[in-house]
Amino acid sequence: MPLPKKVALVVDDDGSIRAEIIKILKSFNYDIVEAVNGRDGVQKFQQQKFDLVTMDFLMPELNGAEAVSVIRQLDKNVLIVGLSSSHTRMEAECKRLHVEIPVLSKFEMPEILTNYIKGIDDGRGAS
C-alpha cells in the first residue's frame, strides 16, 4: 500500500531555490504549495493544513523568522525547517522571536535537506 501524500509549503523568494526544494520534497511523496515571500506563506498556511514548511530567511514583505513566528501561533506542532544562506543570523532572529526551528544552510541544501527529510520520515513514519 502506498504511503499517504504529505503536503509541504515551500516559502522562498528565489524561484530556482524553490524548484530545487520542490524536487527534493517530491521525491519523498510530498504535494507542494509554493509561496514567494513570508506574507504569501502565512496566507497560504492559513488556508490549509501542512505537514512541513520550508522557510527562507531573507525575503521581502515579511522575513522568514517573522513568518515562522506567525505560523507557530497558528499551529505549534507543524514541522518547520529554515533554509538560509545566513543560517546563523536566522537562528538568532528565531531565538529573539522565541521560535525554535532547525535551520539548514542553503549552501549545502540539497544533501542536507535530503538527509533531514529521510530522518524525519524514518522517525515519524507516515503522517
Side-chain angles (χ1 to χ4, degrees):
M1 176 176 235
L3 290 174
K5 283 277 193 180
K6 296 168 277 187
V7 183
L9 174 62
V10 177
V11 186
D12 199 304
D13 61 326
D14 184 323
S16 62
I17 297 206
R18 270 197 325 273
E20 197 169 351
I21 295 167
I22 288 166
K23 180 180 173 186
I24 292 166
L25 293 177
K26 282 188 172 187
S27 75
F28 288 97
N29 205 33
Y30 280 89
D31 282 335
I32 307 298
V33 174
E34 297 180 58
V36 297
N37 60 49
R39 188 168 316 286
D40 185 32
V42 168
Q43 289 170 346
K44 288 182 176 168
F45 191 87
Q46 291 170 323
Q47 295 170 0
Q48 80 179 83
K49 182 168 176 33
F50 293 95
D51 299 291
L52 170 69
V53 176
T54 66
M55 183 68 67
D56 182 24
F57 178 57
L58 297 172
M59 292 184 293
E61 305 266 336
L62 192 66
N63 78 34
E66 293 164 335
V68 165
S69 181
V70 173
I71 287 171
R72 273 286 176 249
Q73 292 172 18
L74 299 168
D75 183 344
K76 294 187 183 337
N77 298 316
V78 67
L79 177 60
I80 303 173
V81 178
L83 296 169
S84 182
S85 55
S86 59
H87 63 285
T88 54
R89 187 169 152 202
M90 184 174 181
E91 286 174 331
E93 181 69 5
C94 284
K95 284 182 182 175
R96 183 185 73 75
L97 293 168
H98 306 290
V99 290
E100 293 295 324
I101 63 167
V103 181
L104 309 178
S105 170
K106 271 191 185 176
F107 295 119
E108 304 166 292
M109 191 268 301
E111 181 181 349
I112 291 174
L113 183 59
T114 297
N115 290 335
Y116 187 82
I117 297 298
K118 278 183 190 174
I120 62 168
D121 278 357
D122 290 346
R124 287 179 22 168
S127 307

